[in-house]
Amino acid sequence: MLKKILFMLLFAGVFIISACGTADTQEEQELGEENVVQSDEEENADGSDLWSEIEESGEITAATSGTLIAASYYNDDDELTGYDVEVMKEIANRLGVEVSFEIMGIDSMLSAINSGRVDLAVNDIEITDGRKEQFNFSDPYKYSFSTMVVRKDDYSGIHSLEDLAGKKAGGGATTIYSQIAEHYGAEIVTYGNANNEAYLRDVHNGNTDVIVNDYYLSTFGVGAFPDFDIMIHPELQFHPTQQGVIMPKGEDRLTEIINQTLAEMREDGTLSELATRFYGEDASEPFEGEIEEITDLDL
């Protein structure tokens, strides 16, 4: 019983307002090319190389949230763990360096990479074309897609993406998931720093109709509140996603080294083992079901 209570407390405030699908914030958009996207010549004008600095110091710094079950969170023993965290620990171990995690919100992670406060970030961060213009990404170590949390008794009246029109969708104001819901005509309802129970309870009691979010994280949310009249929509799977390590633009040597390490972890089964441990499914491999692409929205 104690473990269940602790899990519920840990779970509070995780998947809805956390970071997995966060869109570029206004702060990031306003940074501009001079501060965000440095050319390779500018970045390495002094001969610096991030991987060389990491080797010399013997430590790699990684930003993560510590609030994202089951990607990055604190367990019952107050230890930082989760799929992304354990993947990063294993990468560092194989590279022969220590890893130091900096705990911060998603909106601070990209700026922290640009400022040099951290070397990289791991927090279920989606690889998008827009972000790839500003940062280096590793090869994907997680594959997922978007889904919806709806009421069991009537599917919240939603049987297609178009049915989002006129519905109330709970979610973070800057997330890709809210962009999708809004694109199809939903009204976005935000809760500030409220925990997951507030979001899920409002779908249950009809104050809102739907939550658009990542399949794996949504599955944990629904499972945490079995008494609520909510479920994962059984028919809608859309917007396939890939998550990877995000690094400064132009750090190609570090990117190549991390990719080589991830390839080894994939080949020897480590990625599959970690993904299955934390998600109950092998999220390190592309999902085999049919997933609808959203082609008319620039995310």
Side-chain angles (χ1 to χ4, degrees):
M1 182 65 180
L2 177 58
K3 280 201 165 185
K4 181 176 180 182
I5 293 171
L6 289 171
F7 174 81
M8 297 284 285
L9 291 172
L10 271 171
F11 188 79
V14 175
F15 78 95
I16 301 302
I17 57 175
S18 59
C20 60
T22 303
D24 295 337
T25 63
Q26 182 178 357
E27 175 188 357
E28 293 157 16
Q29 293 167 355
E30 291 176 351
L31 283 174
E33 281 191 0
E34 182 175 353
N35 293 327
V36 178
V37 187
Q38 293 179 305
S39 69
D40 291 346
E41 292 179 359
E42 291 173 324
E43 187 130 42
N44 297 309
D46 60 356
S48 64
D49 171 70
L50 184 54
W51 169 242
S52 296
E53 295 174 9
I54 291 169
E55 272 195 309
E56 184 176 352
S57 68
E59 182 180 68
I60 191 166
T61 56
T64 196
S65 69
T67 60
L68 191 61
I69 304 279
S72 170
Y73 66 99
Y74 286 90
N75 63 20
D76 292 354
D77 297 321
D78 202 30
E79 297 169 337
L80 184 65
T81 188
Y83 179 57
D84 290 56
V85 170
E86 297 304 327
V87 166
M88 192 64 243
K89 288 179 181 178
E90 182 65 18
I91 289 172
N93 180 60
R94 295 188 184 210
L95 294 179
V97 297
E98 299 292 326
V99 58
S100 174
F101 290 101
E102 292 278 340
I103 304 302
M104 62 183 71
I106 183 63
D107 290 341
S108 301
M109 290 182 190
L110 305 187
S111 297
I113 292 172
N114 283 319
S115 69
R117 175 179 169 183
V118 298
D119 300 319
L120 48 82
V122 286
N123 200 66
D124 206 64
I125 298 173
E126 182 177 343
I127 302 169
T128 67
D129 289 339
R131 287 172 178 163
K132 285 167 70 174
E133 292 178 0
Q134 299 179 332
F135 299 92
N136 277 23
F137 272 96
S138 72
D139 294 333
Y141 57 79
K142 181 190 169 211
Y143 297 84
S144 188
F145 58 89
S146 301
T147 187
M148 300 183 194
V149 176
V150 295
R151 286 184 289 276
K152 290 179 183 178
D153 58 356
D154 62 353
Y155 288 26
S156 299
I158 299 171
H159 299 278
S160 69
L161 285 167
E162 287 72 20
D163 288 339
L164 285 167
K167 299 296 192 294
K168 292 184 177 181
T174 63
T175 65
I176 285 174
Y177 306 112
S178 290
Q179 283 188 10
I180 293 172
E182 194 169 31
H183 173 72
Y184 285 99
E187 174 190 348
I188 307 304
V189 179
T190 60
Y191 294 69
N193 291 323
N195 60 32
N196 284 341
E197 183 175 0
Y199 283 88
L200 295 167
R201 185 181 296 278
D202 271 3
V203 176
H204 163 74
N205 62 28
N207 286 343
T208 59
D209 302 297
V210 62
I211 298 165
V212 179
N213 211 278
D214 175 81
Y215 164 72
Y216 293 104
L217 301 180
S218 296
T219 299
F220 272 91
V222 170
F225 299 95
D227 294 334
F228 288 1
D229 178 37
I230 57 175
M231 66 178 179
I232 303 296
H233 201 296
E235 301 168 0
L236 298 181
Q237 300 175 343
F238 52 94
H239 182 54
T241 60
Q242 300 178 358
Q243 285 75 27
V245 181
I246 185 170
M247 295 162 277
K249 188 70 174 177
E251 292 294 348
D252 297 336
R253 187 178 178 211
L254 176 61
T255 304
E256 181 181 357
I257 288 170
I258 287 180
N259 282 341
Q260 290 173 349
T261 308
L262 285 172
E264 294 170 3
M265 293 167 63
R266 184 175 300 281
E267 184 175 353
D268 66 22
T270 301
L271 280 181
S272 293
E273 187 276 325
L274 288 173
T276 303
R277 183 199 310 174
F278 287 100
Y279 293 115
E281 302 178 50
D282 189 0
S284 73
E285 295 290 341
F287 190 78
E288 294 183 355
E290 185 175 346
I291 304 173
E292 180 179 352
E293 297 270 4
I294 299 177
T295 60
D296 56 346
L297 177 60
D298 184 17
L299 295 170

